[in-house]
Amino acid sequence: MENSVHVKEVVVIKPSEPTPSRVLSLSALDSQLFLRFTVEYLFVFKARPGLDQSVITARVKAALAKILVPYYPLAGRVRAKIDGSSLEVVCRAQGAVFMEAVSDHTINDFDRAPRYVTQWRKLLTLSVADVLKGAPPLVVQLTWLRGGDATLGVGLNHSVCDGIGSAEFLNSFAELATSQNRVADLKPKPIWDRHLFYPTKPSRCYYSATHLEFNRVPDLCGFTSRFSNERLAPTSIIFDKRWLNELKRLASSTSRPIGLTYTSYEVLSAHVWRSWARALNLPSNQILKLLFSINIRNRVKPSVPSGYYGNAFVLGCAQTTVKDLAEKGLGYAAMLIKRAKERVDNEYVRSVVESVSQSRACPDSVGVLIMSQWSRLGLERVDFGIGKPVHVGPICSDRYCLVLPVYNQPDAVKVTVAVPASVADKYEYLVKSPCS
């Protein structure tokens, strides 16, 4: 029988103190077309004995009202500027949405991948499809599970904050729910400063040669329609330290030039990318891309100040053909990823800013696997007084690949991605069988 979720309360939470009334411009990076969606986080908590649900609920609501004082743009509403050039936030203390619900899900349901991509959809009942239509950029749902455990679903609009900014916000939000600290005591203090990524000069329109992520490639196999029309099956696989070290060894032994060393993320993303490509059985000459976010806070000059919660990343892009990805070994794929990271410096970032602001450059989806690393954000520390989460992940599984933290295993990561159901078994077999 389908698990049910019953929403008991829906309320708009406004800042607990007066906040500035103004219109704030978002940056060129914030305003990119592919970021105009809501990132939906799911935290699962195992309740300690004797926990009072009403007390926790009251504390979460009070903390939300408090955190919306320093983070007052999250209580505003996002809109497009009249000239359509970028986005802005109208700050009038409109508020965030809080929901409390009960469900007959149990905590054991989250030990494995969901059966289908939307199985946990109702754990964040209000799904904001288009924030530009007046919906709030922040939505929170506390759901009490059968057995007294809990989930917290959080929707944060990507145009307003990136992963690092979201994690800093969530940890500060949780701290206010569990301590006597005042808002003034929070660290880091949130900083707007979106002018750091405003365009400063006319675009030189050379991005097609410099930025592979914006190039269009031919669809030789109905790639886009396949992911749109075929049922997608969620997958979830844990990689421990031993496994990651084995991938590093394999990458180094198949690398050209010899002697290159790789990070855990480089070899993991290379292995997942190769397994995904081989499972899909694509034409050998189909061009594939791996897109992944690169934090630029310390790659630009001057560096971005601590507490900046806007989008401070660009997309790294590794590109090759199906044939080369499959046949040239793990070291080849890891080398492509490493080189994509090394390209990103201050000048590179500035050229991305100009490209996305002047020409509305946007990544295509043909042949693309997008990977996002949530395991290094600090999401596993978010504690609203119930305890640290035993599961952190997305509300809905997607064709985007996420690298997630694993409860009580700091050296391990969990990789989740939804693949066409017809190749799910093959993908899992390949990804669990490291080979060169």
Side-chain angles (χ1 to χ4, degrees):
M1 191 171 89
E2 178 62 35
N3 294 91
S4 64
V5 176
H6 171 67
V7 177
K8 295 168 53 180
E9 178 188 33
V10 181
V11 61
V12 174
I13 302 289
K14 298 191 176 185
S16 60
E17 300 174 20
T19 56
S21 180
R22 60 178 59 158
V23 178
L24 295 172
S25 292
L26 288 165
S27 75
L29 296 182
D30 295 325
S31 300
Q32 294 177 88
L33 295 175
F34 78 97
L35 293 183
R36 299 182 183 188
F37 71 99
T38 297
V39 181
E40 297 179 327
Y41 299 97
L42 176 64
F43 300 88
V44 181
F45 302 97
K46 184 170 182 58
R48 63 180 185 275
L51 179 142
D52 188 323
Q53 295 182 359
S54 62
V55 170
I56 295 295
T57 301
R59 287 178 177 172
V60 171
K61 290 169 69 174
L64 181 55
K66 290 178 184 177
I67 197 65
L68 287 176
V69 176
Y71 282 94
Y72 68 90
L74 294 180
R77 297 296 181 264
V78 182
R79 71 183 183 190
K81 289 186 175 181
I82 293 176
D83 63 5
S85 60
S86 58
L87 303 179
E88 59 190 11
V89 184
V90 179
C91 303
R92 303 281 187 268
Q94 297 97 319
V97 171
F98 174 84
M99 296 168 283
E100 185 184 17
V102 293
S103 171
D104 61 5
H105 280 291
T106 71
I107 197 166
N108 294 331
D109 292 338
F110 304 95
D111 290 342
R112 64 195 72 85
R115 295 189 308 277
Y116 52 95
V117 295
T118 59
Q119 182 179 351
W120 301 333
R121 169 72 275 160
K122 291 184 179 179
L123 296 175
L124 189 60
T125 306
L126 179 55
S127 176
V128 177
D130 187 355
V131 75
L132 298 184
K133 293 184 177 179
L138 174 61
V139 179
V140 177
Q141 180 173 322
L142 178 62
T143 303
W144 297 103
L145 307 177
R146 182 154 45 96
D149 303 309
T151 67
L152 192 80
V154 181
L156 271 166
N157 190 261
H158 211 325
S159 296
V160 182
C161 49
D162 67 2
I164 291 174
S166 296
E168 290 177 350
F169 164 77
L170 288 165
N171 275 291
S172 293
F173 175 17
E175 184 180 335
L176 291 176
T178 57
S179 71
Q180 299 300 315
N181 286 356
R182 300 170 301 157
V183 167
D185 299 325
L186 294 176
K187 293 181 180 180
K189 297 187 185 304
I191 292 174
W192 188 256
D193 283 5
R194 304 303 165 103
H195 65 276
L196 294 172
F197 297 113
Y198 287 171
T200 58
K201 56 190 176 184
S203 173
R204 285 177 280 179
C205 294
Y206 63 90
Y207 72 81
S208 60
T210 310
H211 300 290
L212 297 175
E213 69 272 26
F214 298 141
N215 286 352
R216 299 295 187 261
V217 302
D219 187 347
L220 305 178
C221 54
F223 182 93
T224 304
S225 61
R226 183 176 183 183
F227 277 88
S228 300
N229 299 331
E230 186 172 343
R231 181 176 68 85
L232 299 182
T235 66
S236 177
I237 298 165
I238 291 176
F239 292 80
D240 60 17
K241 186 176 183 178
R242 178 196 58 79
W243 199 349
L244 293 171
N245 285 338
E246 176 65 12
L247 288 174
K248 288 182 181 179
R249 187 192 66 78
L250 285 168
S252 294
S253 67
T254 58
S255 183
R256 298 291 184 274
I258 296 172
L260 285 179
T261 59
Y262 298 103
T263 66
S264 294
Y265 179 75
E266 288 164 356
V267 297
L268 176 65
S269 53
H271 174 58
V272 170
W273 187 28
R274 294 183 74 235
S275 302
W276 173 86
R278 293 163 68 197
L280 289 172
N281 195 29
L282 303 168
S284 62
N285 60 340
Q286 175 66 56
I287 295 174
L288 299 180
K289 297 180 187 180
L290 180 74
L291 300 183
F292 55 97
S293 58
I294 298 176
N295 177 19
I296 58 175
R297 284 166 169 78
N298 294 316
R299 292 177 183 250
V300 293
K301 298 177 182 178
S303 60
V304 176
S306 174
Y308 182 86
Y309 60 99
N311 288 282
F313 76 94
V314 296
L315 289 175
C317 178
Q319 176 175 307
T320 188
T321 63
V322 168
K323 178 180 173 62
D324 285 348
L325 186 60
E327 295 181 0
K328 289 190 175 181
L330 185 65
Y332 169 74
M335 178 268 295
L336 292 177
I337 294 163
K338 190 178 196 69
R339 287 182 177 172
K341 291 166 62 178
E342 291 171 346
R343 282 196 293 268
V344 178
D345 57 14
N346 184 65
E347 183 177 353
Y348 184 98
V349 172
R350 297 303 167 189
S351 68
V352 171
V353 169
E354 303 302 330
S355 295
V356 299
S357 61
Q358 299 293 331
S359 62
R360 311 300 290 275
C362 185
D364 196 10
S365 60
V366 175
V368 169
L369 176 64
I370 298 176
M371 289 193 72
S372 184
Q373 189 176 23
W374 290 14
S375 61
R376 303 290 291 274
L377 299 178
L379 296 170
E380 70 282 0
R381 299 193 302 268
V382 173
D383 181 357
F384 284 88
I386 310 172
K388 292 182 179 179
V390 298
H391 169 81
V392 176
I395 289 288
C396 292
S397 186
D398 205 315
R399 57 172 290 194
Y400 301 122
C401 183
L402 299 179
V403 181
L404 306 173
V406 180
Y407 179 63
N408 273 350
Q409 295 186 57
D411 293 326
V413 292
K414 181 190 299 181
V415 175
T416 66
V417 64
V419 298
S422 61
V423 303
D425 290 344
K426 184 178 181 182
Y427 165 76
E428 290 207 13
Y429 171 79
L430 290 168
V431 85
K432 290 177 180 178
S433 308
C435 61
S436 60

